[in-house]
Amino acid sequence: MCGIVGAVAQRDVSQILLEGLKRLEYRGYDSAGMALISVQTNEIDCIKAMGKVEKLEASMKQRPFAGRVGIAHTRWATHGEPSERNAHPHISDDEIAVVHNGIIENYQTLRSNLQDVGYRFLSETDTEAVVHLIHQACRDEGLSLLAAVKKTVKQLHGAYGLSVISRSEPDKIIVARSGSPLVIGVGIGENFIASDALALGQVTDRFMYLEEGDIAEVTLTSVRIWDVNDKPVKRSITMITSEIASTDKGEFGHFMLKEIYEQAHVIRNTLNGRISDTHVLEEAFGVKAKAIFDKVTSVQIVACGTSFHAGLVTKYWLEDIARIPCHVDIASDYRYRNIIVQPGTLFISISQSGETADTLAALRFAKQADYVGRLAICNVATSSLVRESDFCLMTNAGREIGVASTKAFTTQLCALLLMTLVVARRHGMTDAVEQQYVRDLNELPALVTKTLELDPEIRTLSKALRDKQHALFLGRGIQYPVAKEGALKLKEISYIHAEAYPAGELKHGPLALVDEKMPVIATVPNDDLLAKVKGNLMEVSARGGKLFLFADEKAGFENDRNCKVVHMPSVPDVLSPIIYTIPLQLLSYHVAVLKGTDVDQPRNLAKSVTVE
C-alpha cells in the first residue's frame, strides 16, 4: 500500500515529485522519501522523513535540493517498522537508488547471500536487497542499469513495482512491474512514472500502462518497453484527465453506475501486490501482522450497513475455510452488551470511510478488551479507523461518490477473503487448497467483467419492478448476506420497501406476504444448497408469487410466466458472494432510474455517517 512517482525532465523535478506524493498519500503515510541526481554535484541526493508528506516537504526546505531526474515514495510499512532508515528510496554505495511497491518473498535468502559478499544492510526492508543486487550486477559484471535490472528481477519472488536511478547513467529511470501497477506519464521533452496516474495529473494527461512483466527505460525523449519475454513492445497511450477522473461521470448517467463498472479494475487493484500465482502475501497486512495472525483462534467483526454485510459473508468464509468461529456485530450495538472475548480473538472493524462514528466507537471500546489485535479494513489510509488500529488492509477502491456503496463493498470482500486465507493457512489449509483459491482470485476481475455484460438484460428486467411497493430478497447460506445487501441497495436508492430473508425461513412467516403483487428476488449459484433453494422457490411459485432469479447457467432454471431468470456465469463457490452482488447493484440502479429518484444522493442519507 505504497506510492511511487518519478520524473526525467529538463527542469527541477523536486516539486513535481512532491506534489505527486501528496496526491498518493491516500496510499499510506508511514514515511516518505525522495532521491534526485543532484544538479549541484551530479550525485544521488536523498531526503527521507517519518510521517506524512508534509514532513518531507519541511525537510526539503531546510537545504538546497534540486535535480532533473528523481524518484520518490510514500510508504506503508510491510518489512521493518516505520522509520527513516526503513523509508524509501534505498541506496547502494551512493551509486544506485530504488523505490519499490510490493513484497519480495525471498528477500531473506537474497539478503544473506549479499551479506556474504560484503554488502552492509542499513534497513530491515526487503527492498534493500533489490538495490544491492542491481548494484552488484553493475559493479561485478559491468552491466548497464537496464541490463542489471533485467537480471535482478529474474531473481525476485513475489510482487514488485520498481523504479531505479543511477549516478552513472543520470539521464534515465528504469522501471519494472510484476504484480504491482506502474504507469508512464508522457510529456513533451520530459517523461514521468508513477504507481497511479493520479500522481501525475498536474504534468500530463497522456499515459502508458505497463503490463505484467514489463520493464521500461524512460528518458527525456523516449520510452522503451520490453515484455515478460524480453521482447521490445509498444504500449498504447491513453488520454485521461486525472484531475477530474474521480469526480466526472464520463459516459455514465450517474456516479453509481460508473462505480459499478469500475469494479473489475478496482478489484484488481485490491489484489495487486497481495497475491502471487500460488498464495497470499501476508506481509501486505503490515509488519505487525504475522505475530498477530499466529495467535488468532477466533474473530470478532464490527461494522455498519453495507460493511456489516461484508462481515456476514466473512463469517461464512472463516468458519468454512479457516474452521474457526466468527462473531459479527452491528457496530452501534456492540459496545452496549456484555462482550465476552475468548482468548485468541482478533477484532476486525470494516468501514469504507474510516470515520464511521459507531465503528470508531466500537474500536475504541475494543481497545479495553483482551483482543490479540485490531485489524481495520478500510478505503482511506489517513482515516481515524486506520490510525487507531494495530494494523490494516486498504481496499484500494478509489474515491466512491455514490452514497449507495458498490465498489467499496466488493473490494472489502476481496480484502476479507485475503485475510481469511492468511488465517486459514494456520488452521490446516493445505498449500494445494490455497493455490486453488488464489487461482480463483486471479480470475475474479475477468468474471466481474463477464457479469457486467448482463447489464442490458437486467435493465429490461427492472421494468417489472418499477411500480412495486415492496420486494422480498432470498438467499441461502452465504447468499443470505448478499440478499441483505441487495435489499439495502433497492431501498436506499429507489425507496421501495425491501427485506431479505434466508430462503429456508419462508415458511416461518414471510410466506404470508407472497402473492402476485410481491416480487421475490433470489440469487441461486450452483452450490451444495441448490436443491434446497429450488424447494424454497417452489413454495413461492405455488402461491402465485413472481420470481426474479439470478441463477447459475447450469442450475436448471428457465423463464416462464411466473419466473424471470438472468443466467449467471458459473463461478467458484468462494467467489459467488462477490459476483452475485453485482446484478443486484445493477437491478437497484435501473429501478431507481425508472422511478426518477436521486440515485447518487438518496434522501436522508450521507456517504459517511460521522455521528452516532
Side-chain angles (χ1 to χ4, degrees):
M1 189 57 191
C2 307
I4 287 174
V5 62
V8 182
Q10 300 178 65
R11 52 177 168 156
D12 174 37
V13 300
S14 61
Q15 293 304 307
I16 295 172
L17 300 186
L18 186 66
E19 174 62 23
L21 290 183
K22 291 178 179 178
R23 291 165 177 249
L24 290 174
E25 193 164 30
Y26 76 96
R27 299 179 69 90
Y29 61 90
D30 283 340
S31 57
M34 186 184 303
L36 304 173
I37 307 295
S38 171
V39 294
Q40 285 89 16
T41 65
N42 204 40
E43 295 181 346
I44 292 177
D45 195 359
C46 183
I47 294 180
K48 303 180 184 183
M50 275 282 290
K52 296 186 177 183
V53 174
E54 63 187 27
K55 301 290 187 181
L56 179 68
E57 183 177 23
S59 297
M60 291 170 62
K61 292 177 179 178
Q62 301 303 309
R63 63 178 178 83
F65 190 70
R68 299 186 180 95
V69 176
I71 52 178
H73 189 268
T74 180
R75 179 176 186 248
W76 192 267
T78 59
H79 293 78
E81 64 183 8
S83 64
E84 282 195 26
R85 67 190 179 92
N86 287 329
H88 298 215
H90 290 286
I91 299 173
S92 185
D93 197 29
D94 295 325
E95 177 66 30
I96 292 169
V98 168
V99 293
H100 164 227
N101 287 353
I103 295 164
I104 306 302
E105 295 180 84
N106 61 330
Y107 84 100
Q108 290 282 22
T109 300
L110 299 173
R111 183 186 184 106
S112 178
N113 293 340
L114 288 161
Q115 287 173 326
D116 288 344
V117 296
Y119 281 93
R120 179 170 171 251
F121 282 74
L122 304 177
S123 77
E124 303 165 274
T125 68
D126 52 343
T127 306
E128 194 175 2
V130 178
V131 71
H132 290 323
L133 279 174
I134 296 170
H135 177 268
Q136 183 184 44
C138 292
R139 182 194 65 185
D140 297 350
E141 300 179 47
L143 298 181
S144 67
L145 184 61
L146 174 64
V149 172
K150 287 184 176 181
K151 175 182 173 64
T152 295
V153 297
K154 293 177 181 178
Q155 303 173 65
L156 306 180
H157 301 161
Y160 54 81
L162 295 172
S163 298
V164 190
I165 59 174
S166 171
R167 183 168 63 91
S168 299
E169 300 181 45
D171 60 343
K172 67 189 64 171
I173 302 174
I174 306 299
V175 295
R177 177 209 166 146
S178 180
S180 194
L182 284 174
V183 61
I184 296 172
V186 179
I188 300 173
E190 57 187 12
N191 289 304
F192 311 92
I193 62 98
S195 51
D196 188 329
L198 176 68
L200 303 175
Q202 78 277 24
V203 287
T204 185
D205 60 1
R206 298 189 298 155
F207 300 95
M208 294 181 185
Y209 288 86
L210 295 183
E211 296 185 8
E212 191 70 4
D214 280 358
I215 295 176
E217 179 189 73
V218 181
T219 69
L220 281 173
T221 58
S222 68
V223 175
R224 295 195 297 159
I225 304 173
W226 293 262
D227 66 14
V228 68
N229 298 311
D230 202 25
K231 302 294 184 184
V233 292
K234 294 186 180 297
R235 300 295 180 213
S236 60
I237 294 177
T238 300
M239 298 284 291
I240 176 172
T241 306
S242 58
E243 287 283 349
I244 64 171
S246 64
T247 56
D248 181 68
K249 294 190 289 288
E251 64 188 45
F252 298 98
H254 297 87
F255 284 109
M256 181 180 178
L257 186 61
K258 178 191 177 192
E259 288 155 8
I260 290 171
Y261 269 81
E262 287 174 344
Q263 286 177 109
H265 172 68
V266 296
I267 283 172
R268 174 54 64 194
N269 284 347
T270 303
L271 299 175
N272 270 334
R274 292 163 172 177
I275 57 174
S276 67
D277 292 337
T278 58
H279 60 282
V280 179
L281 307 176
E282 70 178 65
E283 294 88 347
F285 287 84
V287 293
K288 299 178 181 179
K290 184 182 184 304
I292 294 174
F293 282 135
D294 285 346
K295 301 173 185 176
V296 173
T297 56
S298 66
V299 170
Q300 169 71 62
I301 296 174
V302 298
C304 300
T306 286
S307 296
F308 174 70
H309 298 155
L312 292 176
V313 171
T314 307
K315 175 180 173 68
Y316 283 91
W317 280 334
L318 281 167
E319 294 182 350
D320 182 50
I321 300 172
R323 309 296 294 170
I324 64 171
C326 175
H327 300 281
V328 187
D329 279 274
I330 292 174
S332 56
D333 284 347
Y334 165 78
R335 66 190 190 279
Y336 296 116
R337 65 180 180 83
N338 185 23
I339 304 296
I340 300 172
V341 180
Q342 296 294 333
T345 301
L346 173 67
F347 181 90
I348 299 177
S349 55
I350 311 169
S351 169
Q352 183 270 329
S353 68
E355 303 296 344
T356 307
D358 288 314
T359 308
L360 271 172
L363 169 63
R364 290 162 184 165
F365 181 82
K367 288 184 176 181
Q368 311 305 314
D370 192 22
Y371 289 103
V372 297
R374 294 151 194 87
L375 168 65
I377 303 295
C378 187
N379 194 40
V380 182
T382 54
S383 65
S384 301
L385 195 75
V386 170
R387 287 185 281 109
E388 295 183 30
S389 297
D390 297 322
F391 64 130
C392 69
L393 191 68
M394 310 309 300
T395 55
N396 293 357
R399 186 177 181 187
E400 188 178 66
I401 294 175
V403 167
S405 181
T406 52
K407 63 179 182 176
F409 176 65
T410 50
T411 52
Q412 283 175 351
L413 289 177
C414 290
L416 289 160
L417 182 51
L418 295 180
M419 178 277 301
T420 298
L421 297 178
V422 168
V423 172
R425 67 163 66 124
R426 290 164 164 82
H427 294 275
M429 182 180 67
T430 66
D431 289 344
V433 170
E434 181 176 3
Q435 288 172 20
Q436 183 58 59
Y437 284 133
V438 170
R439 283 194 292 270
D440 293 341
L441 280 168
N442 277 311
E443 293 299 318
L444 179 56
L447 289 170
V448 171
T449 299
K450 187 174 182 181
T451 303
L452 288 168
E453 293 172 1
L454 298 171
D455 188 15
E457 187 177 351
I458 296 169
R459 188 186 311 122
T460 299
L461 184 71
S462 68
K463 296 174 183 177
L465 300 179
R466 175 178 182 173
D467 298 321
K468 301 299 183 182
Q469 301 300 313
H470 309 278
L472 183 63
F473 284 72
L474 300 178
R476 191 135 191 179
I478 202 169
Q479 288 298 311
Y480 172 50
V482 175
K484 288 178 71 66
E485 176 62 13
L488 177 61
K489 286 292 159 285
L490 189 65
K491 71 179 73 169
E492 278 182 314
I493 61 172
S494 75
Y495 314 145
I496 293 174
H497 172 244
E499 298 297 335
Y501 280 87
E505 277 290 287
L506 270 174
K507 61 175 67 72
H508 296 282
L511 202 57
L513 297 171
V514 172
D515 60 19
E516 68 278 0
K517 296 180 181 179
M518 172 67 82
V520 177
I521 302 157
T523 55
V524 194
N526 188 13
D527 58 19
D528 292 343
L529 294 173
L530 176 59
K532 297 286 187 183
V533 175
K534 283 185 174 181
N536 301 142
L537 297 178
M538 286 179 64
E539 294 173 332
V540 174
S541 185
R543 287 156 179 83
K546 303 297 184 183
L547 288 169
F548 298 84
L549 306 183
F550 297 92
D552 186 284
E553 57 196 359
K554 298 178 182 177
F557 290 96
E558 299 298 336
N559 286 289
D560 61 34
R561 188 171 61 89
N562 290 325
C563 182
K564 302 301 180 185
V565 184
V566 175
H567 290 106
M568 297 283 290
S570 294
V571 299
D573 288 352
V574 73
L575 301 183
S576 68
I578 302 170
I579 295 299
Y580 278 79
T581 292
I582 294 170
L584 300 185
Q585 295 172 347
L586 289 167
L587 180 69
S588 299
Y589 170 78
H590 289 303
V591 173
V593 170
L594 289 171
K595 291 178 71 68
T597 62
D598 189 337
V599 173
D600 288 330
Q601 295 180 308
R603 66 191 183 201
N604 304 332
L605 299 176
K607 185 62 181 170
S608 180
V609 183
T610 56
V611 295
E612 184 176 355

